[in-house]
Structures are given as structure tokens and as C-alpha cells.
Amino acid sequence: MIQKIHHVAIAVQSLEDALRFYRDTLGLPVHEQATREDQGVKAVVLTIGQSEIELLEPLGPDTPVGRFLERRGEGLHHICFQTDDIDKDLAELKAKDVELIDQEPRQGLVGRICFLHPRSTKGVLLELAQPPE
Amino acid sequence: MIQKIHHVAIAVQSLEDALRFYRDTLGLPVHEQATREDQGVKAVVLTIGQSEIELLEPLGPDTPVGRFLERRGEGLHHICFQTDDIDKDLAELKAKDVELIDQEPRQGLVGRICFLHPRSTKGVLLELAQPPE
């Protein structure tokens, strides 16, 4: 079911500052930039091997990432595992009483996604994603 | 220089509980277990694609992972990037005034490693690792 780490997301105050480190100092190439008004974030995606680093800057304080920064400061925000069958996985997770944030897959930045609740994952905000074929 | 995400580490209260989710529910295979007295942790390593998930349980409260749990609770602890030349990388990071936890590479769980300080990485405890050839 799970194939690889699709991405690791980092919450930052400023994409510009964060790019100075992740792109310029570490040398990771940028392959996508996007503003997602509905999710309240600006994102920059960098490539690392077969995975990605997603830098997330909130569009304002009253957004999920804005509240995360207020509560915990900058740092690791969530991890995303790639699956080849998100419907099957979600059905199995429900059958095993895993607490879900999304009861059904929805369209996200990287394909069909759903988030699992940190209460079921040892404190980790965990996303599953099935990219388009 | 940087080739891939080598692993993502998760701090947990109990490896046994965490394995119930990451191994049994998600189905990730375990490929290594180790107790590191010097680092104050018991670790279980699971395979995910070309990367790994490292579950870390502290050997006691007065250890780095024990203090992390006390301060922040269970969750994402650090991320490790694999490099093919840690000496060169470390020299470059020093030249760019990146704040380091380890001034020189040392022998770690997965090869020659060093940790960068979260002050230089937007709040992320970041490990570089050069596995043995």
C-alpha cells in the first residue's frame, strides 16, 4: 500500500528566508511554487531524491499553519506517505479505528489526499497521497 | 551533495505502541532494532521506499529524546538527509556560517553523521548522514 515518503513539510515564517537555507545553502532544487488561498498557505516544493521538501508559509495568523507557528514555532509540520490506492487504505484505516481528519479522500496539492489525526499516529500529522497516474 | 531523505525520526513514549500503528496498521516492514546507551534511546527502523522511519523511545527522562517528549510530546523529532560527502558538506556549511551541533562528523546509527542546529534550519533538527560504502 505505502510506497515511499512523498514529502516532508516544514512550517516557516518566511519562504524567502527558508529558501536561503534549503535552496541556496543546501542546494535543493525548487520544482514548484503555489499559493493555496483555500488552505491559507504559500508553498515552495523542493526536490530531494524521490521525495520532496515542502516549505509552508501561512497567508495569515488565522490559518492552520499560522496557528501551528503561533503554538509551536517554525519546524517540521507534517509528513506525507505516497500510496497507490488511497481508497483501500482509508477503508482499512477506518476498519482499524484509526482517527482520521478527512473521512474521504479530497483533492490536494499532490493528488488525492487525506490526513490522519496525530492522536492515532503518535503525535505526527500524517498525510496519505495518491498522485495522479 | 544531498541525495535523498535518509530517514524521518519520530519520538515516542513506547516503541511497542508505535509499532502497533506504523508496522501493524500501516504495514511498514521493520528492518532494524537497536538500543544506543550512549544516545539514551531504543530505536526501531522501518523501511519506506528508499527511506526509513526511525521510531525513538528514550531510555529515561534525562536523555535528549526524553527531554524532547517532556517539552513537546510525541511527534516528528528530526529529519536526516543522505549525502555522498559529509566532509565537503560540513566545510561548506561552516563557510556559510550555518550553526552546527556537531563541528565534525561522528559515527552514528547510519554511518558518519552530523546534526545542524534548528536555529539555522528554520526550526528543524536536521541530520546529515554518509552511510558506509
Side-chain angles (χ1 to χ4, degrees):
Chain A
M1 65 198 259
I2 287 172
Q3 303 172 303
K4 64 171 186 177
I5 295 175
H6 185 281
H7 65 263
V8 175
I10 301 169
V12 302
Q13 296 286 359
S14 155
L15 285 179
E16 203 180 325
D17 273 1
L19 283 170
R20 231 168 273 144
F21 178 72
Y22 286 94
R23 180 193 58 198
D24 302 342
T25 301
L26 286 186
L28 301 180
V30 169
H31 87 89
E32 198 182 343
Q33 309 214 25
T35 298
R36 299 275 152 166
E37 297 283 350
D38 57 326
Q39 292 164 48
V41 290
K42 283 195 292 184
V44 174
V45 181
L46 303 112
T47 303
I48 177 165
Q50 298 190 339
S51 303
E52 295 170 348
I53 298 293
E54 229 181 50
L55 302 173
L56 302 175
E57 178 192 310
L59 293 176
D62 194 24
T63 59
V65 175
R67 287 187 291 271
F68 178 92
L69 287 175
E70 175 65 30
R71 208 168 57 242
R72 313 209 47 163
E74 294 185 309
L76 293 169
H77 181 267
H78 71 266
I79 183 167
C80 175
F81 293 169
Q82 181 171 322
T83 170
D84 57 358
D85 192 343
I86 199 168
D87 296 297
K88 180 163 163 283
D89 289 349
L90 210 49
E92 285 182 12
L93 293 172
K94 281 182 190 177
K96 289 174 179 169
D97 288 326
V98 171
E99 201 169 338
L100 304 170
I101 292 175
D102 301 298
Q103 297 303 315
E104 301 299 332
R106 61 184 168 87
Q107 202 55 40
L109 207 63
V110 297
R112 296 178 68 225
I113 65 151
C114 67
F115 277 92
L116 280 54
H117 198 285
R119 273 193 292 268
S120 282
T121 61
K122 304 299 151 194
V124 175
L125 181 57
L126 205 160
E127 181 181 3
L128 295 181
Q130 182 179 355
E133 302 266 326
Chain B
M1 65 198 258
I2 288 172
Q3 303 172 302
K4 64 172 186 175
I5 295 175
H6 185 282
H7 65 264
V8 175
I10 300 169
V12 302
Q13 297 285 0
S14 155
L15 286 178
E16 203 181 325
D17 273 0
L19 283 170
R20 230 168 275 143
F21 178 72
Y22 286 95
R23 179 192 59 198
D24 302 342
T25 302
L26 286 187
L28 301 180
V30 168
H31 87 87
E32 198 184 341
Q33 309 213 27
T35 298
R36 300 276 153 166
E37 297 283 350
D38 58 326
Q39 292 163 48
V41 290
K42 283 196 291 185
V44 174
V45 181
L46 303 112
T47 302
I48 178 166
Q50 297 189 341
S51 303
E52 295 169 349
I53 298 294
E54 229 181 51
L55 302 173
L56 302 175
E57 178 192 310
L59 293 177
D62 194 26
T63 58
V65 175
R67 286 187 291 270
F68 178 92
L69 287 176
E70 175 65 29
R71 210 167 57 242
R72 314 207 48 162
E74 294 185 309
L76 293 168
H77 181 266
H78 72 266
I79 183 168
C80 176
F81 293 169
Q82 181 170 320
T83 170
D84 56 359
D85 192 343
I86 199 168
D87 296 297
K88 179 163 164 281
D89 289 348
L90 211 49
E92 286 182 9
L93 293 172
K94 281 182 189 177
K96 290 174 179 168
D97 289 325
V98 171
E99 202 169 336
L100 304 170
I101 293 175
D102 301 298
Q103 297 302 314
E104 301 299 333
R106 61 184 169 85
Q107 201 57 39
L109 207 63
V110 297
R112 296 178 67 226
I113 64 150
C114 67
F115 277 92
L116 281 54
H117 198 285
R119 273 193 292 269
S120 282
T121 61
K122 305 297 152 193
V124 175
L125 181 58
L126 205 159
E127 180 180 4
L128 295 181
Q130 181 179 355
E133 303 264 327

PDB file of all heavy atoms in Angstrom, chain A residues 3-5 48-51, chain B residues 3-7 46-53 82:
ATOM      1  N   GLN A   3       4.195   3.397  -0.556  1.00  0.00           N
ATOM      2  CA  GLN A   3       5.322   3.221  -1.469  1.00  0.00           C
ATOM      3  C   GLN A   3       6.577   3.978  -1.069  1.00  0.00           C
ATOM      4  O   GLN A   3       7.691   3.518  -1.289  1.00  0.00           O
ATOM      5  CB  GLN A   3       4.896   3.658  -2.871  1.00  0.00           C
ATOM      6  CG  GLN A   3       3.673   2.895  -3.382  1.00  0.00           C
ATOM      7  CD  GLN A   3       3.153   3.469  -4.672  1.00  0.00           C
ATOM      8  OE1 GLN A   3       2.824   4.646  -4.750  1.00  0.00           O
ATOM      9  NE2 GLN A   3       3.094   2.657  -5.695  1.00  0.00           N
ATOM     10  N   LYS A   4       6.394   5.168  -0.541  1.00  0.00           N
ATOM     11  CA  LYS A   4       7.573   5.997  -0.213  1.00  0.00           C
ATOM     12  C   LYS A   4       7.140   7.219   0.587  1.00  0.00           C
ATOM     13  O   LYS A   4       5.941   7.499   0.714  1.00  0.00           O
ATOM     14  CB  LYS A   4       8.262   6.445  -1.500  1.00  0.00           C
ATOM     15  CG  LYS A   4       7.404   7.361  -2.363  1.00  0.00           C
ATOM     16  CD  LYS A   4       8.212   7.951  -3.514  1.00  0.00           C
ATOM     17  CE  LYS A   4       7.399   8.985  -4.287  1.00  0.00           C
ATOM     18  NZ  LYS A   4       8.148   9.644  -5.358  1.00  0.00           N
ATOM     19  N   ILE A   5       8.119   7.937   1.115  1.00  0.00           N
ATOM     20  CA  ILE A   5       7.846   9.269   1.666  1.00  0.00           C
ATOM     21  C   ILE A   5       7.641  10.198   0.479  1.00  0.00           C
ATOM     22  O   ILE A   5       8.554  10.386  -0.327  1.00  0.00           O
ATOM     23  CB  ILE A   5       9.019   9.773   2.540  1.00  0.00           C
ATOM     24  CG1 ILE A   5       9.196   8.885   3.780  1.00  0.00           C
ATOM     25  CG2 ILE A   5       8.785  11.236   2.942  1.00  0.00           C
ATOM     26  CD1 ILE A   5      10.407   9.246   4.641  1.00  0.00           C
ATOM     27  N   ILE A  48      14.150  16.286  -3.403  1.00  0.00           N
ATOM     28  CA  ILE A  48      15.249  15.602  -2.717  1.00  0.00           C
ATOM     29  C   ILE A  48      15.110  14.099  -2.998  1.00  0.00           C
ATOM     30  O   ILE A  48      14.218  13.442  -2.472  1.00  0.00           O
ATOM     31  CB  ILE A  48      15.265  15.924  -1.204  1.00  0.00           C
ATOM     32  CG1 ILE A  48      16.370  15.152  -0.508  1.00  0.00           C
ATOM     33  CG2 ILE A  48      13.928  15.715  -0.528  1.00  0.00           C
ATOM     34  CD1 ILE A  48      16.701  15.660   0.899  1.00  0.00           C
ATOM     35  N   GLY A  49      15.950  13.585  -3.887  1.00  0.00           N
ATOM     36  CA  GLY A  49      15.836  12.189  -4.306  1.00  0.00           C
ATOM     37  C   GLY A  49      14.470  11.947  -4.914  1.00  0.00           C
ATOM     38  O   GLY A  49      14.015  12.722  -5.765  1.00  0.00           O
ATOM     39  N   GLN A  50      13.802  10.883  -4.466  1.00  0.00           N
ATOM     40  CA  GLN A  50      12.455  10.587  -4.977  1.00  0.00           C
ATOM     41  C   GLN A  50      11.370  11.249  -4.128  1.00  0.00           C
ATOM     42  O   GLN A  50      10.193  10.922  -4.259  1.00  0.00           O
ATOM     43  CB  GLN A  50      12.230   9.073  -4.987  1.00  0.00           C
ATOM     44  CG  GLN A  50      13.197   8.338  -5.910  1.00  0.00           C
ATOM     45  CD  GLN A  50      12.807   6.885  -6.086  1.00  0.00           C
ATOM     46  OE1 GLN A  50      12.090   6.327  -5.265  1.00  0.00           O
ATOM     47  NE2 GLN A  50      13.276   6.268  -7.158  1.00  0.00           N
ATOM     48  N   SER A  51      11.783  12.141  -3.231  1.00  0.00           N
ATOM     49  CA  SER A  51      10.831  12.790  -2.332  1.00  0.00           C
ATOM     50  C   SER A  51      10.921  14.310  -2.490  1.00  0.00           C
ATOM     51  O   SER A  51      11.638  14.810  -3.350  1.00  0.00           O
ATOM     52  CB  SER A  51      11.133  12.391  -0.880  1.00  0.00           C
ATOM     53  OG  SER A  51      11.099  10.987  -0.724  1.00  0.00           O
TER      54      SER A  51
ATOM     55  N   GLN B   3      21.450  13.563  -1.489  1.00  0.00           N
ATOM     56  CA  GLN B   3      20.919  12.577  -2.424  1.00  0.00           C
ATOM     57  C   GLN B   3      19.459  12.218  -2.181  1.00  0.00           C
ATOM     58  O   GLN B   3      18.729  11.934  -3.117  1.00  0.00           O
ATOM     59  CB  GLN B   3      21.762  11.303  -2.332  1.00  0.00           C
ATOM     60  CG  GLN B   3      23.242  11.562  -2.604  1.00  0.00           C
ATOM     61  CD  GLN B   3      24.075  10.338  -2.331  1.00  0.00           C
ATOM     62  OE1 GLN B   3      24.076   9.817  -1.233  1.00  0.00           O
ATOM     63  NE2 GLN B   3      24.780   9.880  -3.348  1.00  0.00           N
ATOM     64  N   LYS B   4      19.070  12.170  -0.904  1.00  0.00           N
ATOM     65  CA  LYS B   4      17.695  11.745  -0.611  1.00  0.00           C
ATOM     66  C   LYS B   4      17.401  11.973   0.872  1.00  0.00           C
ATOM     67  O   LYS B   4      18.310  12.266   1.652  1.00  0.00           O
ATOM     68  CB  LYS B   4      17.522  10.261  -0.957  1.00  0.00           C
ATOM     69  CG  LYS B   4      18.376   9.330  -0.099  1.00  0.00           C
ATOM     70  CD  LYS B   4      18.017   7.857  -0.350  1.00  0.00           C
ATOM     71  CE  LYS B   4      18.772   6.956   0.610  1.00  0.00           C
ATOM     72  NZ  LYS B   4      18.396   5.559   0.497  1.00  0.00           N
ATOM     73  N   ILE B   5      16.133  11.797   1.226  1.00  0.00           N
ATOM     74  CA  ILE B   5      15.772  11.721   2.640  1.00  0.00           C
ATOM     75  C   ILE B   5      16.203  10.348   3.128  1.00  0.00           C
ATOM     76  O   ILE B   5      15.707   9.331   2.634  1.00  0.00           O
ATOM     77  CB  ILE B   5      14.255  11.912   2.852  1.00  0.00           C
ATOM     78  CG1 ILE B   5      13.817  13.332   2.436  1.00  0.00           C
ATOM     79  CG2 ILE B   5      13.887  11.648   4.323  1.00  0.00           C
ATOM     80  CD1 ILE B   5      12.302  13.562   2.510  1.00  0.00           C
ATOM     81  N   HIS B   6      17.151  10.313   4.039  1.00  0.00           N
ATOM     82  CA  HIS B   6      17.581   9.014   4.568  1.00  0.00           C
ATOM     83  C   HIS B   6      16.536   8.478   5.539  1.00  0.00           C
ATOM     84  O   HIS B   6      16.113   7.342   5.438  1.00  0.00           O
ATOM     85  CB  HIS B   6      18.947   9.136   5.232  1.00  0.00           C
ATOM     86  CG  HIS B   6      19.487   7.821   5.686  1.00  0.00           C
ATOM     87  ND1 HIS B   6      19.048   7.211   6.836  1.00  0.00           N
ATOM     88  CD2 HIS B   6      20.374   6.972   5.127  1.00  0.00           C
ATOM     89  CE1 HIS B   6      19.668   6.045   6.974  1.00  0.00           C
ATOM     90  NE2 HIS B   6      20.474   5.880   5.942  1.00  0.00           N
ATOM     91  N   HIS B   7      16.147   9.304   6.501  1.00  0.00           N
ATOM     92  CA  HIS B   7      15.071   8.887   7.397  1.00  0.00           C
ATOM     93  C   HIS B   7      14.388  10.076   8.047  1.00  0.00           C
ATOM     94  O   HIS B   7      14.903  11.197   8.028  1.00  0.00           O
ATOM     95  CB  HIS B   7      15.585   7.927   8.488  1.00  0.00           C
ATOM     96  CG  HIS B   7      16.563   8.529   9.458  1.00  0.00           C
ATOM     97  ND1 HIS B   7      17.924   8.414   9.325  1.00  0.00           N
ATOM     98  CD2 HIS B   7      16.374   9.261  10.588  1.00  0.00           C
ATOM     99  CE1 HIS B   7      18.533   9.031  10.340  1.00  0.00           C
ATOM    100  NE2 HIS B   7      17.607   9.556  11.120  1.00  0.00           N
ATOM    101  N   LEU B  46      12.031   1.322  10.332  1.00  0.00           N
ATOM    102  CA  LEU B  46      11.115   0.708   9.362  1.00  0.00           C
ATOM    103  C   LEU B  46      11.460   1.223   7.973  1.00  0.00           C
ATOM    104  O   LEU B  46      11.889   2.364   7.818  1.00  0.00           O
ATOM    105  CB  LEU B  46       9.665   1.068   9.698  1.00  0.00           C
ATOM    106  CG  LEU B  46       9.215   0.687  11.112  1.00  0.00           C
ATOM    107  CD1 LEU B  46       8.978   1.939  11.939  1.00  0.00           C
ATOM    108  CD2 LEU B  46       7.948  -0.151  11.082  1.00  0.00           C
ATOM    109  N   THR B  47      11.256   0.379   6.986  1.00  0.00           N
ATOM    110  CA  THR B  47      11.568   0.750   5.604  1.00  0.00           C
ATOM    111  C   THR B  47      10.350   1.386   4.944  1.00  0.00           C
ATOM    112  O   THR B  47       9.236   0.889   5.083  1.00  0.00           O
ATOM    113  CB  THR B  47      11.963  -0.506   4.803  1.00  0.00           C
ATOM    114  OG1 THR B  47      13.077  -1.115   5.455  1.00  0.00           O
ATOM    115  CG2 THR B  47      12.353  -0.154   3.370  1.00  0.00           C
ATOM    116  N   ILE B  48      10.587   2.482   4.202  1.00  0.00           N
ATOM    117  CA  ILE B  48       9.532   3.092   3.391  1.00  0.00           C
ATOM    118  C   ILE B  48      10.173   3.586   2.095  1.00  0.00           C
ATOM    119  O   ILE B  48      10.894   4.582   2.099  1.00  0.00           O
ATOM    120  CB  ILE B  48       8.780   4.200   4.160  1.00  0.00           C
ATOM    121  CG1 ILE B  48       7.723   4.849   3.265  1.00  0.00           C
ATOM    122  CG2 ILE B  48       9.713   5.217   4.783  1.00  0.00           C
ATOM    123  CD1 ILE B  48       6.718   5.709   4.008  1.00  0.00           C
ATOM    124  N   GLY B  49       9.970   2.843   1.008  1.00  0.00           N
ATOM    125  CA  GLY B  49      10.627   3.171  -0.262  1.00  0.00           C
ATOM    126  C   GLY B  49      12.133   3.143  -0.080  1.00  0.00           C
ATOM    127  O   GLY B  49      12.678   2.190   0.483  1.00  0.00           O
ATOM    128  N   GLN B  50      12.798   4.198  -0.542  1.00  0.00           N
ATOM    129  CA  GLN B  50      14.258   4.274  -0.396  1.00  0.00           C
ATOM    130  C   GLN B  50      14.655   4.970   0.905  1.00  0.00           C
ATOM    131  O   GLN B  50      15.816   5.346   1.090  1.00  0.00           O
ATOM    132  CB  GLN B  50      14.865   5.036  -1.574  1.00  0.00           C
ATOM    133  CG  GLN B  50      14.632   4.338  -2.916  1.00  0.00           C
ATOM    134  CD  GLN B  50      15.426   4.972  -4.035  1.00  0.00           C
ATOM    135  OE1 GLN B  50      15.876   6.116  -3.924  1.00  0.00           O
ATOM    136  NE2 GLN B  50      15.618   4.245  -5.120  1.00  0.00           N
ATOM    137  N   SER B  51      13.682   5.190   1.779  1.00  0.00           N
ATOM    138  CA  SER B  51      13.943   5.906   3.023  1.00  0.00           C
ATOM    139  C   SER B  51      13.525   5.053   4.216  1.00  0.00           C
ATOM    140  O   SER B  51      13.138   3.896   4.052  1.00  0.00           O
ATOM    141  CB  SER B  51      13.183   7.237   3.034  1.00  0.00           C
ATOM    142  OG  SER B  51      13.526   8.029   1.915  1.00  0.00           O
ATOM    143  N   GLU B  52      13.639   5.653   5.393  1.00  0.00           N
ATOM    144  CA  GLU B  52      13.298   4.920   6.610  1.00  0.00           C
ATOM    145  C   GLU B  52      12.512   5.808   7.568  1.00  0.00           C
ATOM    146  O   GLU B  52      12.635   7.028   7.534  1.00  0.00           O
ATOM    147  CB  GLU B  52      14.589   4.469   7.321  1.00  0.00           C
ATOM    148  CG  GLU B  52      15.392   3.461   6.515  1.00  0.00           C
ATOM    149  CD  GLU B  52      16.785   3.210   7.086  1.00  0.00           C
ATOM    150  OE1 GLU B  52      17.218   3.964   7.990  1.00  0.00           O
ATOM    151  OE2 GLU B  52      17.441   2.271   6.609  1.00  0.00           O
ATOM    152  N   ILE B  53      11.721   5.163   8.403  1.00  0.00           N
ATOM    153  CA  ILE B  53      11.107   5.825   9.556  1.00  0.00           C
ATOM    154  C   ILE B  53      11.811   5.262  10.786  1.00  0.00           C
ATOM    155  O   ILE B  53      11.902   4.044  10.948  1.00  0.00           O
ATOM    156  CB  ILE B  53       9.593   5.538   9.645  1.00  0.00           C
ATOM    157  CG1 ILE B  53       8.852   6.076   8.411  1.00  0.00           C
ATOM    158  CG2 ILE B  53       9.011   6.121  10.934  1.00  0.00           C
ATOM    159  CD1 ILE B  53       8.842   7.582   8.271  1.00  0.00           C
ATOM    160  N   GLN B  82      20.630  12.198   3.308  1.00  0.00           N
ATOM    161  CA  GLN B  82      21.825  11.430   2.950  1.00  0.00           C
ATOM    162  C   GLN B  82      22.706  12.231   1.993  1.00  0.00           C
ATOM    163  O   GLN B  82      22.213  12.812   1.029  1.00  0.00           O
ATOM    164  CB  GLN B  82      21.422  10.100   2.295  1.00  0.00           C
ATOM    165  CG  GLN B  82      22.648   9.258   1.915  1.00  0.00           C
ATOM    166  CD  GLN B  82      22.260   7.857   1.485  1.00  0.00           C
ATOM    167  OE1 GLN B  82      21.363   7.248   2.072  1.00  0.00           O
ATOM    168  NE2 GLN B  82      22.930   7.340   0.473  1.00  0.00           N
TER     169      GLN B  82
END
